[in-house]
Amino acid sequence: MRRFLDAVLDSIFRLFADKGARMTMVVSILIYAFLYPQPYTGEVVRDVPIVVIDQDGSTASRELRRRVDNSDQVAVVAHTDGLPAAQEMFNARKVYGVLIIPPDFEQDLLHGRQSPIAAFGDGSYFLLYGAISSAVSSAANSLGAEIRVSRLTALGVDAGTAAALVSPVVITSVPQFNPNGGYASFAVPAAFILIIQQTLLIGIGIMHAGKPARPGIARVATPTAYILLYTFWVAVTQLLLPVIYGLPQVGHPITLFAIAVPFLMAVTAMGFALVQVIPTREGMIFFLVVQGLPLFFITGVSWPIESVPDPIRWLAMAVPSTSAMSAIIRVDQMGASLSMIIPIVKLQLALAVGYAAIAYALHNWRFPNSS
Amino acid sequence: MLGPFPLILMLLLSAVFAPGLPSNLPVAVVDQDGTTLSRQAVRMIDATADLAVTVRATSLGEAQDALVSGAVYAVIFIPQSMGRDLLQGNRPELVTFYNNQFLTVGGIVSRASRQAMGTFSAGVATQALVANGAVPEAAVEAVVPIPVQRSPLFNPALDYVQFLLAALMPTVLQIFITASAALTIGSDVQHPNGMARLTRIGGSSITGIAGKLAPYGLAYLLTLIFADVIIFGAFDAPFNGNIWLHGAYSASFVLACLCLGGMLAMIAGETVGALGLTGVLTGPAFGFAGISFPRITMNTFAWIWGGLLPLTAYLQLRTDQVLRGAPIEVSLPAFGWLLGQILLYGSVLMFLVARSAQVPAKQASIA
């Protein structure tokens, strides 16, 4: 046991002695911890600038404008008469949406006719488009409902009946787990699972590509050392970072490590299998660094896994992060219990065993005299 | 070694997004009412293209477990006596609890659920009220007083998938291009006299470096064009802008990435460090580019950092030209910004190369 601990410590020292490994497995994680959340520190999209073309200029159209402007999501920054001027502001990125209130807006409403308005947004920026769309819709809905109620009461219908008729049911949406819809709360914990996986794989590449394994106890001690180091990084990125950046974190640490440690075992084993296939340090880094983003989009966290074609989904299951990322998010951000993630824990352990066997077999085939 | 690897990744990404907008996302329903009306509401949820009712739970607790475990993305709760309250005009509440930790899916699911409920409210529920005699039939208007029309010119949600894919492919290519330049220049510079040799073979430091990077530039420009073929050919995305400008900034993007990678190699002085710098700089680039989370909402540091990456300028130009069909003059500042990056990274690269090529030469003359 003592010998084993010494060998683990020795592996850690070797890692710190190698500049490339130190930069990858220690320094780069610290850099990412600062750098990665930066775009998202604002958390939610607020006050998206839009321009209004009010061709009606009536009391009703002013009321609509006021309601749109009053929403958190949108700010009316300009008024113009015509579409060309609005288009110019849009192209110059001074505004990200255009609201058009046509002439006779009020007249039509008063006469009980449909009175459409038009909202142009930029669908390529999903969050901006969503903010504009939702602000305009809720303003139009609330004003429309009020107008219908007042029209009904004018006809002699009592207020309660009028309200029931305009909206017979109350429709409520309650966001769970990330109540403010924060973007950092969504992206940061997930991304660090991938950062952990990729830096661990690259680190193993830097330390071991093209080299035969050191014989004896080191063959077990070295992977153990990496898993221990990265258990620390899991604690830093999944427990400490949420505190620093004020992100929701509800999971129990023990449940977190119950999935995180098998995940790290699978990643480590995969790393040792990969170095047998890609024998150079540069090859390993290159191969892994380009894959971060594609791997992120098949984890189901940012894009629903249900809509990813089955063959790709099954193939991707061979990569530990594919199943582990959403499991860890469920535990840490959504409070899932251990029993809910047991299948993923088993999958990670199976991957660990599978990759370890592959690594062992390939190593002995490539370096027949090493053991 | 590299050969088909970028192409394979482009195809894989395309396959991930090929089905388009997500549909039939699983949701749970807790129907505590169990009347004809509540069953109709459940059917209307299931009938939407976006949602599929996969779990029928008897209690909210059971449904919440399905939500936390990831089996469903939302729980729709229909309270006891919903039907009776509705018929009496007591406005029962229908609640959707949705998973907002998975932000994209949560948004789609909650919007679809609201829409289904809205349809239920405006149709079935209103008819039931009238049939029950709670309100006079004369008062019923089937119309929404202020419908919001959305312009087809500025693409609706479906094109988001195409644009997300069209943004992801250059993001991955930026890493490929920068890393390739970093690797090839890095392997020269880590040899003693490497830069002197490169300069000698090339005739000058500029031609030496250009000769070294040109094959990569050509290969990656072709890969970028291949990505466009997928977007405009296979996905049939519309192209609204100026094709010549599109070609010009595409080539500039590749060149800017090459200069950036070369510069990083000269700064690191060896391959592993150069690739490490490339990873740190280009790995999180998608977040800084402002496609997912908009640039106008970022802090100053993130805004400047993103501005230093070729991808940010390229994607803004791409939005202008491909989607908005903006006039050329609108895109000139962003094009200048991309050319400025080439100038900046190119000059630093050439300066460092020239310095590195000179040092050993001087030492040689002293000896």
Side-chain angles (χ1 to χ4, degrees):
Chain A
M1 192 62 202
R2 184 63 206 270
R3 261 185 65 224
F4 182 70
L5 283 181
D6 284 345
V8 169
L9 275 178
D10 177 56
S11 299
I12 300 257
F13 284 136
R14 281 166 185 270
L15 186 163
F16 275 86
D18 184 300
K19 184 174 169 240
R22 195 172 62 229
M23 293 307 284
T24 304
M25 299 169 96
V26 181
V27 179
S28 78
I29 298 177
L30 295 175
I31 294 176
Y32 279 130
F34 164 75
L35 187 63
Y36 189 85
Q38 289 308 317
Y40 316 122
T41 50
E43 280 277 28
V44 291
V45 171
R46 249 189 221 107
D47 294 333
V48 178
I50 66 164
V51 57
V52 175
I53 305 175
D54 185 352
Q55 295 171 325
D56 194 34
S58 61
T59 315
S61 73
R62 272 192 296 277
E63 177 58 23
L64 182 71
R65 272 157 47 184
R66 195 187 62 77
R67 284 180 196 225
V68 171
D69 197 23
N70 270 2
S71 74
D72 283 346
Q73 295 148 307
V74 159
V76 176
V77 295
H79 299 270
T80 67
D81 301 329
L83 200 55
Q87 184 106 33
E88 210 168 283
M89 282 186 237
F90 183 82
N91 278 335
R93 287 183 157 74
K94 288 194 179 98
V95 298
Y96 284 83
V98 183
L99 171 63
I100 301 178
I101 308 173
D104 300 331
F105 172 72
E106 191 175 55
Q107 279 297 314
D108 285 345
L109 275 182
L110 291 176
H111 289 91
R113 288 190 293 265
Q114 235 181 5
S115 185
I117 56 173
F120 298 163
D122 195 334
S124 51
Y125 298 109
F126 201 48
L127 288 182
L128 295 177
Y129 183 79
I132 295 166
S133 178
S134 121
V136 171
S137 297
S138 65
N141 285 343
S142 73
L143 183 62
E146 274 174 36
I147 285 169
R148 279 185 70 190
V149 169
S150 62
R151 208 186 294 148
L152 287 168
T153 45
L155 288 173
V157 180
D158 73 90
T161 311
L165 187 59
V166 168
S167 47
V169 291
V170 178
I171 300 163
T172 312
S173 298
V174 184
Q176 303 274 286
F177 317 122
N178 177 9
N180 301 321
Y183 204 86
S185 312
F186 150 70
V188 171
F192 272 95
I193 299 302
L194 203 63
I195 288 169
I196 277 179
Q197 169 176 288
Q198 299 302 94
T199 57
L200 177 50
L201 291 174
I202 291 173
I204 292 173
I206 289 174
M207 291 297 290
H208 302 281
K211 288 186 237 168
R214 287 184 296 127
I217 201 164
R219 282 186 97 164
V220 184
T222 307
T224 310
Y226 298 159
I227 292 167
L228 282 177
L229 172 67
Y230 268 78
T231 304
F232 169 72
W233 287 129
V234 168
V236 169
T237 59
Q238 302 301 313
L239 299 175
L240 185 62
L241 271 194
V243 176
I244 292 174
Y245 288 102
L247 315 175
Q249 194 273 321
V250 296
H252 197 288
I254 294 190
T255 321
L256 171 66
F257 289 112
I259 172 71
V261 173
F263 164 65
L264 294 175
M265 291 164 72
V267 175
T268 306
M270 187 188 188
F272 279 96
L274 273 178
V275 286
Q276 302 306 325
V277 184
I278 305 173
T280 66
R281 294 155 65 119
E282 289 82 3
M284 279 289 282
I285 306 176
F286 202 119
F287 178 73
L288 291 162
V289 93
V290 294
Q291 290 186 44
L293 203 61
L295 285 177
F296 189 74
F297 275 89
I298 44 173
T299 58
V301 171
S302 70
W303 194 249
I305 194 75
E306 288 81 6
S307 70
V308 175
D310 285 340
I312 295 179
R313 215 196 317 178
W314 291 116
L315 209 66
M317 281 296 168
V319 184
S321 62
T322 305
S323 54
M325 188 191 287
S326 63
I328 291 174
I329 295 300
R330 279 192 185 103
V331 169
D332 211 31
Q333 268 70 44
M334 296 163 58
S337 63
L338 185 60
S339 62
M340 288 174 179
I341 50 153
I342 283 290
I344 309 294
V345 173
K346 285 182 182 160
L347 176 61
Q348 297 297 324
L349 292 174
L351 287 175
V353 172
Y355 281 123
I358 294 173
Y360 185 79
L362 285 177
H363 180 270
N364 287 358
W365 176 63
R366 283 186 60 215
F367 305 99
N369 303 321
S370 69
S371 50
Chain B
M1 165 196 117
L2 269 173
F5 189 34
L7 295 180
I8 292 171
L9 268 188
M10 299 300 110
L11 286 173
L12 264 177
L13 272 174
S14 308
V16 168
F17 292 100
L21 264 199
S23 59
N24 286 321
L25 296 166
V27 296
V29 168
V30 184
D31 180 2
Q32 295 198 324
D33 190 36
T35 57
T36 323
L37 275 170
S38 71
R39 278 193 293 272
Q40 263 175 305
V42 175
R43 262 204 303 279
M44 290 177 91
I45 294 160
D46 204 23
T48 59
D50 294 325
L51 307 179
V53 178
T54 56
V55 175
R56 286 163 203 270
T58 49
S59 72
L60 204 50
E62 188 190 334
Q64 278 284 355
D65 278 353
L67 189 65
V68 174
S69 74
V72 297
Y73 291 109
V75 173
I76 296 162
F77 181 73
I78 303 175
Q80 224 171 1
S81 73
M82 187 278 278
R84 202 184 62 217
D85 283 348
L86 176 62
L87 294 177
Q88 290 174 353
N90 286 337
R91 307 184 70 213
E93 189 176 16
L94 300 175
V95 190
T96 304
F97 302 90
Y98 62 98
N99 180 353
N100 215 28
Q101 180 62 40
F102 290 29
L103 207 60
T104 321
V105 199
I108 296 172
V109 167
S110 71
R111 210 170 307 130
S113 167
R114 280 192 90 84
Q115 236 161 40
M117 302 294 192
T119 316
F120 171 75
S121 173
V124 176
T126 309
Q127 282 161 23
L129 263 176
V130 174
N132 200 41
V135 292
E137 190 165 3
V140 176
E141 299 169 75
V143 294
V144 181
I146 311 178
V148 181
Q149 295 176 343
R150 291 176 179 88
S151 164
L153 274 178
F154 299 85
N155 54 103
L158 185 65
D159 287 349
Y160 174 69
V161 179
Q162 293 169 350
F163 194 72
L164 186 60
L165 177 61
L168 285 175
M169 292 202 282
T171 307
V172 174
L173 273 178
Q174 176 177 258
I175 308 176
F176 265 111
I177 305 168
T178 313
S180 297
L183 190 56
T184 183
I185 302 289
S187 60
D188 270 329
V189 76
Q190 74 184 7
H191 275 286
N193 279 331
M195 280 302 133
R197 196 185 61 203
L198 186 69
T199 306
R200 203 170 53 243
I201 295 169
S204 72
S205 51
I206 289 206
T207 45
I209 292 288
K212 194 88 189 172
L213 295 179
Y216 292 98
L218 193 64
Y220 283 122
L221 185 58
L222 287 175
T223 315
L224 192 58
I225 293 171
F226 174 75
D228 272 346
V229 168
I230 295 177
I231 294 291
F232 300 117
F235 283 86
D236 217 14
F239 180 90
N240 299 318
N242 182 298
I243 189 82
W244 299 107
L245 182 58
H246 182 68
Y249 66 69
S250 297
S252 306
F253 167 66
V254 174
L255 187 55
C257 294
L258 287 174
C259 291
L260 177 63
M263 181 184 88
L264 294 178
M266 295 308 297
I267 290 171
E270 40 92 24
T271 49
V272 169
L275 287 174
L277 281 177
T278 303
V280 167
L281 222 61
T282 58
F286 189 67
F288 288 93
I291 296 301
S292 50
F293 195 72
R295 259 165 78 72
I296 54 164
T297 319
M298 287 180 198
N299 64 38
T300 315
F301 170 81
W303 194 84
I304 293 172
W305 183 272
L308 292 172
L309 297 165
L311 180 75
T312 312
Y314 170 78
L315 287 179
Q316 185 171 322
L317 284 161
R318 203 182 159 96
T319 314
D320 276 352
Q321 289 304 312
V322 173
L323 290 171
R324 298 178 164 194
I328 293 178
E329 58 270 22
V330 167
S331 290
L332 288 183
F335 192 39
W337 165 25
L338 191 56
L339 295 179
Q341 288 178 341
I342 297 176
L343 200 66
L344 176 65
Y345 303 140
S347 323
V348 177
L349 165 66
M350 292 324 303
F351 170 75
L352 293 175
V353 168
R355 206 180 59 175
S356 163
Q358 261 168 17
V359 172
K362 266 184 202 156
Q363 281 168 346
S365 68
I366 290 165

